[in-house]
Amino acid sequence: MKHGRTRFITLFLAAPLVLYGVFVLYPYVQGVIISFTDWSGYSRDREFIGFANYIELAGDDRFWAALSHNAMFLLVLPPVTLGIALVFAALTSVAGGKGGRVGPIAGSGWYRAIYFFPNILPIVMSLVLWQFVFNPRIGLLNGFLEAVGLGAWAHAWLGDPNTAPWAVLSVLVWGQIGFYYVLFSASIQGIPREYFEAAQLDGVGRFRMFFTITLPMMLQTVQVAWIYIGMFALDMFVTVAILTPDGGPSGSTDVIATYMQRLAFSGGRFGYSATIGVVLTVLTLLFAFITFRVTRRERVEY
Amino acid sequence: MTAPIMTRPEAPSQGASSPASAPAPVAALPRKRRTNPYSWLTESLGKGVAHVFLIAWAVIALFPILWGVFSSLKANDEIFASPWAMPEVLQWDNYVRAWNEADIGRYFWNTIVVVGGSLIVTMVLGAMVAYVLARFQFRLNRPIFYLFMVGMMFPIFLAIVPLFFVVNDLGLLGTHLGLILVLSAYGLPFTVFFLVGFFATLPESVAEAALLDGCGHAETFFRIMLPMAKPGLVSVGIFNFLNLWNNYLIPLVLNPDPEKYVLSQGLASLAITQGYAADYGALFAGLVIAMLPVLAAYLAFHRQLQGGISLGALK
């Protein structure tokens, strides 16, 4: 049994670890080191300048504006998306059933397949489509408003600093709900049916059942979902970069990731950009840590 | 499992001790679920309302896609003049132009090479790591596991700038091999995380029997354990496929040569250039072409995929 064990382990781990080390771990470590330099990226010259980048960052208005947009998305996106997904999951999983029994609603398989659809679309594709929905000249949204006599509301949705963030947000909600819907549905189905049946015996309505049984039993899943979507709200690179290139009108949709990418690859400020990367990492870890601490409670075993 | 009392609601249950039933009526009356005689009405009304909401969201979820498909079959001026109308004559040559002139065909093959290559490398290496970590106790087991988890927690933006130079220094910038290696490396954490849990659940006895029969460790892995892990491999494989097909940031940074663009890059640049060239029909056709493989994969595997979500997230 022991024969060749060490050799086997080494053999199996060597290639993956080299690949992972070279392309993932090493760049992460370098990212931290570069953040303390004035590197422009165009030559090999770089000077260590201590915390100068971090000090500059503290007084950088564009950074703070971008951060505030991330914060806005972080506050709005999770409750809206998870809330809607939770309602849909509850509706399809426990709102149906024959003869007053709690069960999945008719057609729940169809709903699940359709709701997940936006998640599988190539993201660039769905974003280009949404760009057309919001397009001021040929856009569907304006066309719809005109058709129902609200032509006065027609608008350059992505071109106006007042509406651009909300347009981006609605696309995000549209694209994210499906995943969390499927996640929550699976979680609800994992709850033993006896709980619902016992509650029904006691005459508990479905609405109360949701808050007293379903939600407490799936709190762990909601917590995981909150961390996923929170990390997503701290990223958002693709969505913002394609819907509103260059940070949107007056920088109204600029987020940390897009600001950082511009600084590095068009601005030639790799050192400073890496500093923003470090700050983003710290914020992400802090967010996950706080979420775990705040939501930690006795785990419901079943 | 199910206690009989649960399945027979008519039986006087322990629930009857609720304070509401204070006068304690003669227990002979079968206790109905709700005392409200119209409960069937409110119930079906509630279901109706639920369906209205659910169908509304189904329409919203599908709408941009259906609109894209219709537009891909319209003439250019139709797209402008009547965005809501059905195509008058189906313009199939939009697809021909997209494939040939707008280079979607080339982007498509580039994507096949990159996604296919990365998928194979990620799956093979990820399964090897996961198998070793799940089934062998050795001193570095936990440290290596956590090392891989780091890649899931840290935002890729911290790594992207140095990554550009690593790939450049290795002479792999703008090559498909470079993209394949990088995408595989970033696919490893999720693959390992998912498959460690999966391998750990497989029965120990089978592997032991194989070893006793004279199989080597490697042979046991490839001939016994890998086939047994097929459901897990399929789930994680579909996830990786969708992620790879979707990836935008890594190609954007590491793949600057338009000849070698993958679909996500090609579509993004097409969306910009078509704004000037005004061949929206071809753009929409390109979008639909890019969607077809993932649609096919989804229709074939959506059960495994949705099962995989719960498996991966819930433990």
Side-chain angles (χ1 to χ4, degrees):
Chain A
M1 283 289 278
K2 286 270 172 194
H3 177 70
R5 192 173 164 275
T6 314
R7 219 193 67 184
F8 172 75
I9 292 174
T10 321
L11 200 72
F12 261 41
L13 289 182
L17 277 176
V18 168
L19 188 75
Y20 187 69
V22 170
F23 292 114
V24 181
L25 292 179
Y26 175 75
Y28 275 127
V29 175
Q30 279 291 310
V32 178
I33 296 173
I34 293 171
S35 77
F36 293 100
T37 69
D38 64 353
W39 197 27
S40 71
Y42 295 123
S43 66
R44 291 278 141 182
D45 305 330
R46 59 185 201 199
E47 295 264 340
F48 279 88
I49 53 171
F51 282 91
N53 283 332
Y54 290 85
I55 292 162
E56 184 185 344
L57 195 63
D60 183 345
D61 289 341
R62 278 217 87 149
F63 168 74
W64 288 107
L67 186 62
S68 77
H69 299 142
N70 279 109
M72 190 277 269
F73 288 123
L74 188 62
L75 283 179
V76 180
L77 188 63
V80 172
T81 311
L82 300 187
I84 297 175
L86 204 53
V87 169
F88 285 151
L91 279 183
T92 48
S93 303
V94 296
K98 293 219 164 61
R101 288 276 186 75
V102 168
I105 206 162
S108 62
W110 280 101
Y111 288 125
R112 202 166 313 159
I114 292 174
Y115 285 11
F116 196 68
F117 199 74
N119 284 84
I120 63 137
L121 274 196
I123 189 156
V124 171
M125 171 184 171
S126 54
L127 293 174
V128 171
L129 282 171
W130 277 101
Q131 236 183 4
F132 278 102
V133 172
F134 292 123
N135 187 301
R137 273 202 306 150
I138 63 167
L140 276 181
L141 189 53
N142 284 350
F144 175 75
L145 289 174
E146 267 152 39
V148 297
L150 291 170
W153 291 12
H155 208 76
W157 298 98
L158 289 168
D160 178 340
N162 290 318
T163 52
W166 301 104
V168 169
L169 191 76
S170 58
V171 174
L172 291 170
V173 171
W174 173 83
Q176 293 293 306
I177 279 184
F179 178 83
Y180 296 102
Y181 166 75
V182 170
L183 186 67
F184 291 157
S185 296
S187 175
I188 292 179
Q189 264 144 40
I191 302 173
R193 305 181 48 81
E194 287 83 0
Y195 288 85
F196 295 115
E197 283 165 4
Q200 265 193 322
L201 282 179
D202 289 343
V204 174
R206 296 197 178 190
F207 201 70
R208 236 186 86 197
M209 215 183 276
F210 174 76
F211 286 103
T212 52
I213 301 176
T214 318
L215 199 56
M217 294 291 263
M218 60 184 292
L219 219 56
Q220 190 119 22
T221 313
V222 177
Q223 179 187 337
V224 169
W226 199 281
I227 289 175
Y228 280 176
I229 200 165
M231 289 173 121
F232 180 83
L234 288 169
D235 171 337
M236 306 229 313
F237 174 77
V238 192
T239 321
V240 170
I242 290 182
L243 278 183
T244 56
D246 295 323
S250 326
S252 57
T253 55
D254 212 6
V255 289
I256 303 179
T258 50
Y259 181 49
M260 186 189 158
Q261 198 257 352
R262 266 205 320 280
L263 274 175
F265 291 98
S266 350
R269 297 206 58 194
F270 282 92
Y272 189 53
S273 166
T275 310
I276 299 179
V278 172
V279 172
L280 183 59
T281 306
V282 171
L283 289 176
T284 306
L285 296 179
L286 206 63
F287 167 77
F289 177 74
I290 290 173
T291 309
F292 266 117
R293 284 310 282 266
V294 168
T295 57
R296 194 168 62 177
R297 61 198 289 287
E298 285 300 303
R299 189 176 176 166
V300 184
E301 294 284 351
Y302 59 88
Chain B
M1 261 324 249
T2 316
I5 199 159
M6 299 295 190
T7 53
R8 288 180 55 238
E10 297 83 4
S13 73
Q14 66 268 61
S17 63
S18 69
S21 58
V26 212
L29 268 177
R31 190 166 165 278
K32 276 268 162 59
R33 212 162 281 109
R34 304 291 296 268
T35 42
N36 179 359
Y38 298 108
S39 67
W40 63 272
L41 184 69
T42 53
E43 208 145 87
S44 43
L45 209 69
K47 273 182 207 169
V49 172
H51 274 297
V52 168
F53 277 109
L54 292 167
I55 289 171
W57 185 260
V59 171
I60 294 174
L62 288 181
F63 189 73
I65 297 118
L66 292 177
W67 181 65
V69 173
F70 284 129
S71 299
S72 75
L73 293 168
K74 282 177 167 183
N76 222 4
D77 47 341
E78 268 182 281
I79 297 175
F80 278 91
S82 43
W84 282 81
M86 291 293 226
E88 275 168 31
V89 185
L90 298 185
Q91 308 283 332
W92 291 107
D93 61 312
N94 283 344
Y95 282 83
V96 179
R97 282 203 315 286
W99 187 265
N100 295 324
E101 288 163 39
D103 284 334
I104 293 293
R106 179 191 298 154
Y107 304 150
F108 193 89
W109 294 119
N110 288 342
T111 309
I112 297 276
V113 170
V114 170
V115 169
S118 316
L119 196 57
I120 293 169
V121 177
T122 313
M123 293 303 290
V124 171
L125 296 187
M128 282 159 58
V129 173
Y131 178 69
V132 170
L133 291 183
R135 307 222 130 227
F136 293 88
Q137 290 310 314
F138 54 100
R139 207 148 48 90
L140 289 174
N141 187 311
R142 286 293 95 182
I144 290 177
F145 180 75
Y146 289 125
L147 217 52
F148 277 105
M149 292 312 102
V150 163
M152 277 211 308
M153 282 299 286
F154 283 26
I156 188 172
F157 299 96
L158 177 59
I160 199 80
V161 169
L163 180 65
F164 174 84
F165 289 96
V166 168
V167 174
N168 193 26
D169 290 347
L170 292 171
L172 292 171
L173 200 67
T175 66
H176 285 161
L177 177 65
L179 266 190
I180 289 173
L181 292 177
V182 171
L183 288 170
S184 311
Y186 282 88
L188 280 179
F190 172 72
T191 311
V192 169
F193 171 71
F194 192 101
L195 289 179
V196 162
F198 202 85
F199 278 124
T201 62
L202 294 182
E204 184 73 36
S205 52
V206 181
E208 272 170 16
L211 284 172
L212 285 178
D213 281 350
C215 268
H217 284 293
E219 209 180 345
T220 308
F221 171 70
F222 284 111
R223 289 185 48 190
I224 313 281
M225 300 311 278
L226 220 44
M228 276 174 70
K230 203 173 145 207
L233 293 172
V234 169
S235 289
V236 93
I238 307 164
F239 266 114
N240 283 334
F241 170 74
L242 292 178
N243 279 337
L244 289 166
W245 198 269
N246 254 325
N247 207 306
Y248 180 65
L249 176 69
I250 288 177
L252 181 72
V253 172
L254 300 181
N255 192 29
D257 178 3
E259 290 272 305
K260 301 211 164 116
Y261 272 6
V262 292
L263 273 170
S264 58
Q265 287 177 286
L267 287 173
S269 83
L270 197 63
I272 295 164
T273 54
Q274 292 301 352
Y276 307 111
D279 188 355
Y280 288 104
L283 173 60
F284 282 112
L287 292 173
V288 173
I289 293 173
M291 178 183 71
L292 288 178
V294 289
L295 185 63
Y298 180 57
L299 292 180
F301 292 109
H302 78 97
R303 271 174 215 289
Q304 279 100 324
L305 182 67
Q306 301 191 339
I309 289 179
S310 40
L311 217 73
L314 305 178
K315 170 125 276 165

